[in-house]
Amino acid sequence: MCIKVSRNVSITSWNVNGLFRKLSGDRICKLDDENFSNIMTSDIVCLSETHASSKDILFYNGYKCFTNCRQSKTNRVWGGLATFIKREILQGVKLIDKTMSDMMWFKLDKNYFGFEKNLFICSMYIPPSNSSYTMRTNCDKQIFEKLEQDITKFSLEGNIALIGDLNAHINVSESDYITNEIDDSLDDFLPINYIADAVLKSRSTEISQNTNSYGKQLIELCISAQLRILNGRTLGDSKGKVTFFNHNGTSIDDYCICSSGFLPSILKLKNSFKVHKME
């Protein structure tokens, strides 16, 4: 996925399913693959499921890499985040939180980039609810709790953008906002200072999928924090393209979600958000 947050800043997210592979007994890094040269043109590139350990040195020319790896007691490493930021914009970007292994928060300075407000970007990965890691550690609950806390805190200072593989399935009928005609029954759910807003268009999706538990939590988070899903809502992704392919089928698991107040900065740009199909 690629999102343009201004004419000068673009962000790409990709679940790489492991940055390393074995070839003739050698450990080869995918950063040398042609697919990477095609995506490593954005100013910020967020990779998830790198399966890289803290001992691995990740390098790509012209970028500085920030990593967040899970601690493992075995030689096998799962999860892992790597965010590459072009050195020419490093002065305006700051890593502000990586206390949880599946999340990294970056602050884009409003003065440096010419935004009205600071932009807080969270590169993240939520492990599947049925994975052994999730069931053993209850990490999904921890991730959503911290995400809600962080959004509440950072929203006081600027706009929010969440991007990554969230393993969430959201049916297109699920609305991520409430119109100006607010039902009185929602009074206990919404913040006291909640201001109802409208969205330019409803979302579209290429496929039909049922909303899972993660999807329900994301929708609730979007409504309470006034965040909006970009998938299926921009000129670059008007159909809501599939983001996950395997032998079992297809789904939309990867999302970009941002503050409703930041939407005009994105939607006014051509191809402001699009989903790439990797060969």
Side-chain angles (χ1 to χ4, degrees):
M1 301 182 300
C2 182
I3 172 179
K4 295 181 181 178
V5 297
S6 79
R7 286 181 172 80
N8 300 315
V9 185
S10 59
I11 305 167
T12 291
S13 174
W14 188 16
N15 182 326
V16 295
N17 192 25
L19 268 179
F20 300 94
R21 57 189 175 89
K22 290 288 186 68
L23 183 64
S24 301
D26 295 324
R27 190 167 180 251
I28 307 299
C29 184
K30 291 181 181 178
L31 287 169
D32 299 325
D33 288 354
E34 183 179 348
N35 279 338
F36 272 88
S37 64
N38 293 334
I39 70 164
M40 294 298 278
T41 55
S42 293
D43 300 292
I44 301 175
V45 180
C46 306
L47 306 180
S48 61
E49 279 208 283
T50 61
H51 302 173
S53 72
S54 56
K55 297 179 181 179
D56 290 309
I57 299 176
L58 304 180
F59 173 82
Y60 200 89
N61 190 40
Y63 290 81
K64 180 174 180 179
C65 181
F66 298 84
T67 62
N68 201 3
C69 309
R70 291 183 194 166
Q71 298 298 320
S72 175
K73 296 181 180 180
T74 65
N75 293 327
R76 190 69 182 268
V77 181
W78 300 99
L81 300 174
T83 298
F84 292 82
I85 299 176
K86 278 188 176 178
R87 294 188 177 276
E88 61 194 60
I89 66 167
L90 275 175
Q91 186 178 345
V93 183
K94 181 180 180 181
L95 174 63
I96 57 175
D97 192 328
K98 53 177 286 185
T99 54
M100 184 166 285
S101 61
D102 293 302
M103 299 169 60
M104 279 200 292
W105 281 97
F106 294 88
K107 175 183 176 181
L108 272 62
D109 184 79
K110 62 180 181 180
N111 296 318
Y112 184 88
F113 291 103
F115 301 150
E116 291 185 6
K117 297 180 179 180
N118 294 320
L119 178 62
F120 295 88
I121 298 173
C122 182
S123 169
M124 59 186 302
Y125 171 71
I126 306 180
S129 59
N130 60 353
S131 72
S132 58
Y133 175 73
T134 301
M135 292 186 287
R136 185 177 72 252
T137 64
N138 206 24
C139 66
D140 54 339
K141 180 180 179 180
Q142 298 172 39
I143 289 174
F144 277 106
E145 287 178 350
K146 177 167 171 51
L147 187 59
E148 184 174 4
Q149 294 168 3
D150 289 345
I151 289 173
T152 300
K153 177 175 64 175
F154 296 137
S155 291
L156 298 175
E157 303 178 46
N159 288 309
I160 304 295
L162 314 177
I163 188 166
D165 182 355
L166 310 184
N167 274 297
H169 293 176
I170 303 176
N171 188 280
V172 71
S173 65
E174 299 274 7
S175 295
D176 56 358
Y177 66 99
I178 295 178
T179 65
N180 287 306
E181 299 178 358
I182 296 184
D183 190 329
D184 292 339
S185 65
L186 296 171
D187 286 346
D188 294 334
F189 174 67
L190 299 174
I192 296 176
N193 61 345
Y194 189 92
I195 301 175
D197 67 325
V199 176
L200 293 178
K201 59 177 290 188
S202 299
R203 293 182 298 111
S204 300
T205 57
E206 284 186 331
I207 60 172
S208 176
Q209 57 184 16
N210 295 324
T211 303
N212 63 8
S213 60
Y214 288 0
K216 291 179 181 178
Q217 292 182 78
L218 279 176
I219 287 294
E220 291 178 0
L221 187 61
C222 285
I223 292 174
S224 63
Q226 290 193 292
L227 304 176
R228 303 294 169 255
I229 299 170
L230 291 184
N231 302 62
R233 190 176 266 156
T234 68
L235 291 176
D237 188 43
S238 60
K239 295 182 179 180
K241 292 182 180 179
V242 165
T243 67
F244 176 78
F245 304 80
N246 75 357
H247 60 279
N248 291 322
T250 59
S251 61
I252 300 173
D253 292 348
D254 307 74
Y255 295 89
C256 182
I257 303 172
C258 72
S259 300
S260 60
F262 197 61
L263 279 174
S265 299
I266 299 172
L267 297 181
K268 67 183 179 182
L269 303 175
K270 184 179 181 180
N271 289 328
S272 55
F273 172 83
K274 55 186 176 181
V275 175
H276 294 280
K277 183 177 180 179
M278 307 304 296
E279 301 298 336

